[in-house]
Amino acid sequence: MKTRRSVLSGLGAAALAPLLPNLSQANTRSLTLSMPPLLDATQSGRFFLNAQAGKINFRDQSDSDTWGFNQSFLGPTLRMSNRGVTAAKVTNTLEEAISVHWHGLVVPGDVDGGPHQLVAPGQTWAPELSLDQPPTTAWYHSHTHGRTAEQVQKGLAGVLQLTDELDEERGLPTTYGVDDLTLVLQDRRFDRSGRMSYALSMPDRMMGFLGDTMLINGQVGATAGVPKGIVRLRLLNGSNARIYSLVMSDERPMHLIGTDSGLLDAPIALDALTLAPGERYELLVDFGDGSDVSLLSGQNTNEPMMGGRMMGRGQTSGPPFVVLPFTVDTSAKASITQLPSDLGGSRPSMALSGARSRALTLDMAMGPGMMMRRNSKQFSINDQAFDMNRTNFDVKLGQLERWTVSTNMMMHPFHIHGVMFQVLSENGKLPRSQNIGWKDTILIDGQAEILMRFEHPASESLPYMYHCHILEHEDGGMMGQFTVS
Ligand code: C2O
Ligand code: CU
Ligand code: CU
């Protein structure tokens, strides 16, 4: 266990900045954090999403033009059964094509919602999602090749909850928005009139978009009210590129109970958690002492290194910023006050023998040649930029696959569709404790080895994707596709 001083000072904390460094907070209202509306499809077995345009006044200034599902910005939390069939229906009332990918659902390529499955303006897409996987927190977002970053930025994303309705028996908090909080972490920029802006500079294109203002569930400057007891935080990093290094301001432990693709066997006490784009983590935090506390993050440190020199925007230093303040309502009775010891989940441990090996290197072209190269192969995997018309490889259904994924110059959150994987190693060592559960996205800083088995088919016309989840990198070509048959 690190001491209090070491963890916070590791994040550069001399003093706390109230928000990200460049932000002057325009409003002084105190806002209570709200949850995305809950759309519970466990009984009906069906849900409907309408991609629509809207306007949001984020900062008590001018309205921003936004997109969302069934509302102006972001979408509802879709709760569905982790086993059985749920019928989805997605209508696109926007003026450009979108797709809706179910990130974290282990479904065949033909309902995965990747870039080949566009929903044109005015069209409806109605896939049947047949699930059989552990309960978890996943998400959905647009995946239109070349447009993903901007479409997600404008709001085409939401949270998925897969449930077996046994969380009460597990001793986990289950009351949505009370002791079971869904938290979508995003950073955005606003212009002087308070309008959300997404204008990419050259460094933004290289490193991915970083905002200067924190949004939680689409809200700026909100505080979460919590009961005096144990609260479940379902964290989603829905940011385009920002990597959060999370700690509680008083360094109380964050008890990790779930990773991307399911619950652990037992909670693990962490003093810090890294949350990269696309990742989900579930935590229990004990507010039983009644004192107010904040969730903080260190600055984003993901900048290219060239010959040991930072090529970035110099945002790697600076004090931690507040992601979300919590106030404890001491009169609210908490339903859970004890940490559960047995979560009933699992840690993957597959036998290695017979695995087919593949090596993938996530590349970016940098340095003096970069300007000339412009968009040609600035981002690639194994030297190939994504091409909608090329299948990169074929995987055999049911075959054990061992992938060695490497990065250079920058960290990249690597995601694979249609599967949950075991992390075998990170830079030759056993995985960090936050990566011992089932994952579908892993932040790679050097090299990681992962192990998995694809149990569903994906065809040549509707293949699965693997890519960096920094959306500007993905759109720029750091993506590939494969079939499973
Ligand atoms: Cu969350 Cu292929 O993406
Ligand atoms: Cu995905
Ligand atoms: Cu990347």
Side-chain angles (χ1 to χ4, degrees):
M1 255 305 233
K2 290 186 201 162
T3 65
R4 167 177 181 155
R5 176 160 292 166
S6 71
V7 178
L8 270 175
S9 62
L11 296 179
L16 296 181
L19 280 161
L20 291 178
N22 308 336
L23 179 78
S24 55
Q25 199 174 4
N27 48 42
T28 48
R29 62 187 169 168
S30 74
L31 194 71
T32 302
L33 182 76
S34 55
M35 293 295 108
L38 181 65
L39 205 172
D40 191 336
T42 52
Q43 298 309 306
S44 66
R46 58 183 61 251
F47 65 83
F48 175 66
L49 291 177
N50 186 45
Q52 60 190 65
K55 285 191 189 298
I56 294 272
N57 189 341
F58 286 101
R59 304 190 51 192
D60 287 347
Q61 290 177 274
S62 305
D63 282 345
S64 300
D65 291 312
T66 55
W67 291 346
F69 293 104
N70 305 359
Q71 57 185 8
S72 294
F73 186 65
L74 303 179
T77 298
L78 284 171
R79 182 180 284 170
M80 56 179 121
S81 172
N82 68 314
R83 305 204 191 278
V85 181
T86 301
K89 196 182 250 195
V90 179
T91 295
N92 179 12
T93 65
L94 299 171
E95 279 162 15
E96 67 178 70
I98 62 162
S99 84
V100 180
H101 167 57
W102 320 104
H103 178 141
L105 299 197
V106 183
V107 292
D110 63 359
V111 293
D112 184 55
H116 296 270
Q117 227 150 14
L118 296 183
V119 187
Q123 297 296 296
T124 294
W125 175 54
E128 296 234 306
L129 305 172
S130 177
L131 301 182
D132 185 9
Q133 64 183 97
T136 196
T137 302
W139 64 308
Y140 57 98
H141 62 78
S142 181
H143 212 306
T144 312
H145 185 53
R147 292 287 298 152
T148 299
E150 190 158 1
Q151 291 184 347
V152 171
Q153 177 87 196
K154 284 196 93 169
L156 294 185
V159 171
L160 296 168
Q161 270 187 19
L162 301 189
T163 178
D164 59 6
E165 299 182 78
L166 296 175
D167 282 348
E168 246 164 83
E169 278 101 289
R170 295 184 177 101
L172 290 173
T174 56
T175 311
Y176 188 73
V178 176
D179 61 4
D180 179 356
L181 306 187
T182 290
L183 303 177
V184 182
L185 278 63
Q186 295 176 311
D187 57 337
R188 293 291 186 267
R189 287 181 201 158
F190 293 90
D191 65 18
R192 294 165 128 262
S193 61
R195 282 191 200 89
M196 198 163 79
S197 71
Y198 182 70
L200 296 181
S201 65
M202 183 54 112
D204 295 333
R205 273 176 222 286
M206 291 309 297
M207 282 161 267
F209 171 92
L210 294 181
D212 55 18
T213 303
M214 210 44 232
L215 267 64
I216 305 291
N217 300 343
Q219 291 166 275
V220 179
T223 298
V226 289
K228 196 176 165 210
I230 289 179
V231 174
R232 176 182 195 166
L233 307 179
R234 300 176 188 248
L235 303 174
L236 159 65
N237 185 346
S239 310
N240 282 32
R242 182 173 289 276
I243 298 167
Y244 301 89
S245 350
L246 302 171
V247 293
M248 299 301 292
S249 53
D250 63 357
E251 301 229 1
R252 72 183 62 186
M254 302 182 286
H255 302 276
L256 180 67
I257 58 166
T259 54
D260 298 334
S261 310
L263 293 169
L264 293 168
D265 48 355
I268 301 173
L270 298 179
D271 48 22
L273 174 77
T274 304
L275 185 67
E279 286 186 311
R280 290 87 61 216
Y281 280 102
E282 291 195 32
L283 303 174
L284 295 181
V285 176
D286 191 351
F287 296 96
D289 72 356
S291 58
D292 295 348
V293 64
S294 292
L295 181 65
L296 308 179
S297 173
Q299 298 297 329
N300 186 75
T301 60
N302 197 18
E303 296 188 351
M305 298 288 289
M306 287 281 291
R309 194 167 79 83
M310 287 284 200
M311 297 283 291
R313 290 158 288 199
Q315 289 205 10
T316 57
S317 56
F321 58 91
V322 174
V323 170
L324 180 64
F326 294 93
T327 46
V328 182
D329 179 353
T330 48
S331 66
K333 206 175 157 297
S335 57
I336 307 285
T337 52
Q338 294 274 313
L339 269 189
S341 52
D342 181 4
L343 301 169
S346 66
R347 301 183 185 196
S349 67
M350 293 185 271
L352 264 174
S353 67
R356 164 82 155 85
S357 295
R358 294 177 204 277
L360 300 174
T361 302
L362 313 187
D363 301 310
M364 48 195 291
M366 282 284 303
M370 154 186 116
M371 302 294 182
M372 265 101 78
R373 292 222 225 166
R374 279 244 111 139
N375 291 324
S376 74
K377 286 222 305 196
Q378 194 168 315
F379 299 99
S380 57
I381 297 180
N382 288 356
D383 234 18
Q384 290 187 307
F386 180 70
D387 178 348
M388 287 285 277
N389 300 313
R390 181 186 52 234
T391 300
N392 295 86
F393 51 85
D394 302 293
V395 168
K396 254 199 160 150
L397 197 65
Q399 161 78 49
L400 194 62
E401 292 269 327
R402 179 185 190 161
W403 294 9
T404 303
V405 189
S406 311
T407 62
N408 51 43
M409 293 203 289
M410 275 183 81
M411 298 184 268
H412 300 282
F414 180 73
H415 169 54
I416 311 173
H417 289 209
V419 80
M420 41 199 250
F421 55 73
Q422 173 184 349
V423 182
L424 280 175
S425 71
E426 292 181 276
N427 294 319
K429 300 200 211 72
L430 286 175
R432 292 173 290 161
S433 46
Q434 71 172 73
N435 286 337
I436 64 170
W438 288 103
K439 299 278 292 164
D440 61 40
T441 306
I442 178 180
L443 182 62
I444 301 187
D445 183 6
Q447 190 172 81
E449 286 180 294
I450 56 179
L451 192 63
M452 71 219 123
R453 206 186 291 278
F454 293 87
E455 309 278 11
H456 296 287
S459 68
E460 185 104 26
S461 56
L462 294 169
Y464 284 140
M465 303 292 136
Y466 55 95
H467 58 88
C468 174
H469 222 290
I470 291 177
L471 300 181
E472 290 76 18
H473 291 179
E474 174 187 337
D475 278 342
M478 198 179 277
M479 178 156 75
Q481 55 189 1
F482 61 101
T483 62
V484 179
S485 59

